[in-house]
Amino acid sequence: MRKLDIYQEDSLIYSIFLEKDFSALPERLNSVSSKKKKALIVTDDQVAKLFLEDLKNTIQESFSAISVCILPAGEEYKDLEHIQKIYQAALDMELERKDMMIALGGGVVGDMTGFASASYLRGIDFIQIPTTLLAQVDSSIGGKTGVDFYHYKNLIGAFHMPKLVYSSMHCLLSLPKVQYASGMGEIIKHALIHNEKYLPYLLEHKEALQERNPEILLETIYQSNRIKKYFVEKDPYEHGDRKFLNFGHSLGHAIEKVADFSYSHGQCVAFGSLMALSLCKNIAKEDILKVQELMEDMGLETRCKALKYEDIFEALSKDKKQKNQHLQFVLLHHLCSPYIEEDISKERIEAVLKQYMRSEEV
């Protein structure tokens, strides 16, 4: 077991637990006085088949009542219409302000449950139980919640911190290769922006990560969680340094939207990270190649399918991270030294798109 505590202004906000399975969850729930509360578990129809009964059996004595809301799986259902289904399930259960929601699933479920709990009765508590590698190293930590609107990713949302994050390694063993690789895209991004020892660690242990060695995987998730903790504690509402976590996300989100979400989020972060590295003026070509090879070893693609440049720029212009009509990117002075470039020319962006995009159509 590994544990990380998240603080805000010297006050403990919540703890992150990395465990082998669900068995320690009842003990962890004691910290949120769960036996006096009702809980609504929100999950999707794919995760429910794998982990819902196990979770319910494990925590049935930990709450005064438990109910379930099962949503369809997929980014295309991350919208206000399906948030209403969570609200209705909460109303049917007569959930009160003292009660809570539990997000059991990947980033989509976590973001939606977080947003629903932030807005239901003007805010109730929620717990994150992330079941994908991507959610365990990214979306479950930091309190960003939200839904997509007209295919613009996370356009509507709120900051709402969980009361507890519980990441179980056994959930990752059955993860499809594409989803596992997606998580590795975010992990590699972390290694590029913070902790100079992390990228060498990933390179040294890439075979063990390919095999999903539990000890190496747990340590990797722990190190990524430490990086996320560093930025979240320093800047909880993304007014400053927390924006560095968006490395690779400007072009990554644009590709994700223009490709109609046919790529996973972590895969798009990988595309965006390679493009951002190539926009940096002081990153050696051999370092970029090293990162590219690591991505390929982890099952990630390094060249995206052909997309129209004008569609990419249109998506960039609608990105909520942009400022004063300028294309704003997180770049690196050198590895693990991020900064924000306020205005990148379209010519430079087109050059990296050409470099990392297959050429059937532009």
Side-chain angles (χ1 to χ4, degrees):
M1 186 274 290
R2 302 298 291 269
K3 179 188 177 187
L4 281 170
D5 293 326
I6 306 297
Y7 288 85
Q8 189 173 333
E9 297 179 354
D10 298 323
S11 296
L12 177 63
I13 304 300
Y14 61 94
S15 296
I16 303 166
F17 293 95
L18 306 181
E19 304 275 4
K20 63 177 182 178
D21 54 32
F22 289 156
S23 60
L25 187 51
E27 181 182 350
R28 308 305 176 207
L29 288 170
N30 289 335
S31 65
V32 296
S33 304
S34 61
K35 290 188 177 181
K36 301 176 183 179
K37 302 175 182 180
K38 292 185 285 187
L40 174 65
I41 301 172
V42 182
T43 189
D44 66 46
D45 51 15
Q46 297 301 313
V47 174
K49 296 173 185 176
L50 297 170
F51 306 118
L52 180 57
E53 287 307 310
D54 185 11
L55 177 66
K56 286 173 62 179
N57 291 336
T58 302
I59 66 171
Q60 60 183 349
E61 303 299 327
S62 297
F63 293 93
S64 62
I66 294 175
S67 188
V68 178
C69 174
I70 299 178
L71 303 172
E75 181 82 28
E76 62 268 33
Y77 302 108
K78 188 181 176 182
D79 54 27
L80 292 172
E81 178 184 349
H82 289 86
I83 287 289
Q84 292 181 53
K85 296 183 182 299
I86 303 177
Y87 293 150
Q88 188 60 61
L91 285 170
D92 292 344
M93 194 184 184
E94 299 182 349
L95 227 57
E96 301 176 358
R97 279 188 176 176
K98 66 178 178 64
D99 299 319
M100 60 174 44
M101 297 182 187
I102 299 175
L104 174 68
V108 171
V109 166
D111 284 0
M112 293 179 71
T113 308
F115 180 67
S117 64
S119 48
Y120 179 77
L121 298 178
R122 294 194 175 95
I124 67 171
D125 291 339
F126 84 113
I127 292 170
Q128 289 270 21
I129 304 180
T131 59
T132 67
L133 181 58
L134 181 63
Q136 289 186 5
V137 299
D138 184 31
S139 59
S140 66
I141 305 166
K144 279 187 177 182
T145 73
V147 294
D148 304 338
F149 189 68
Y150 290 131
H151 292 286
Y152 291 104
K153 192 172 178 67
N154 298 324
L155 191 65
I156 299 172
F159 285 97
H160 188 50
M161 300 295 177
K163 298 300 290 185
L164 175 74
V165 178
Y166 188 98
S167 295
S168 174
M169 298 303 101
H170 87 291
C171 294
L172 305 180
L173 299 178
S174 58
L175 205 61
K177 289 182 179 180
V178 170
Q179 289 192 33
Y180 184 75
S182 179
M184 292 305 306
E186 194 73 29
I187 285 169
I188 294 169
K189 180 212 75 176
H190 287 152
L192 296 174
I193 64 170
H194 194 70
N195 186 354
E196 293 179 352
K197 297 180 180 179
Y198 194 24
L199 183 59
Y201 175 86
L202 296 177
L203 290 166
E204 180 184 352
H205 295 94
K206 64 182 181 181
E207 288 83 6
L209 288 168
Q210 288 171 330
E211 297 168 358
R212 307 191 195 189
N213 178 287
E215 291 184 7
I216 299 300
L217 193 53
L218 189 146
E219 181 63 25
T220 299
I221 295 169
Y222 177 72
Q223 294 302 329
S224 272
N225 284 182
R226 286 184 64 196
I227 292 171
K228 192 79 186 276
K229 165 188 164 73
Y230 170 80
F231 287 108
V232 167
E233 288 184 338
K234 193 174 184 180
D235 178 21
Y237 299 110
E238 201 174 44
H239 298 308
D241 284 3
R242 184 170 173 177
K243 292 179 181 179
F244 295 151
L245 287 167
N246 290 323
F247 183 81
H249 280 60
S250 292
L251 280 166
H253 276 173
I255 291 168
E256 195 169 4
K257 178 189 180 299
V258 175
D260 199 24
F261 299 98
S262 57
Y263 288 117
S264 71
H265 174 68
Q267 175 62 77
C268 291
V269 169
F271 289 143
S273 294
L274 283 174
M275 292 175 184
L277 282 175
S278 293
L279 286 170
C280 300
K281 297 178 181 178
N282 298 314
I283 303 297
K285 288 184 179 179
E286 54 264 34
D287 285 333
I288 298 175
L289 287 174
K290 189 186 303 180
V291 171
Q292 184 172 329
E293 290 173 4
L294 176 60
M295 288 179 175
E296 290 169 348
D297 288 338
M298 293 298 102
L300 291 157
E301 297 180 50
T302 54
R303 287 172 65 85
C304 76
K305 62 186 175 183
L307 302 168
K308 292 181 178 179
Y309 291 173
E310 56 265 35
D311 292 342
I312 296 289
F313 285 112
E314 173 67 16
L316 283 171
S317 71
K318 296 293 195 300
D319 192 315
K320 62 185 182 301
K321 295 185 292 299
Q322 301 309 327
K323 181 180 179 182
N324 298 328
Q325 304 301 313
H326 290 170
L327 297 179
Q328 188 181 80
F329 284 77
V330 180
L331 298 183
L332 304 176
H333 293 297
H334 52 79
L335 292 179
C336 300
S337 178
Y339 73 99
I340 292 176
E341 181 84 27
E342 290 289 346
D343 198 10
I344 302 285
S345 70
K346 286 190 174 182
E347 290 75 17
R348 288 176 66 191
I349 296 171
E350 285 185 4
V352 297
L353 288 172
K354 183 177 182 180
Q355 184 177 355
Y356 293 105
M357 190 178 288
R358 298 196 293 270
S359 58
E360 301 95 84
E361 179 184 356
V362 294

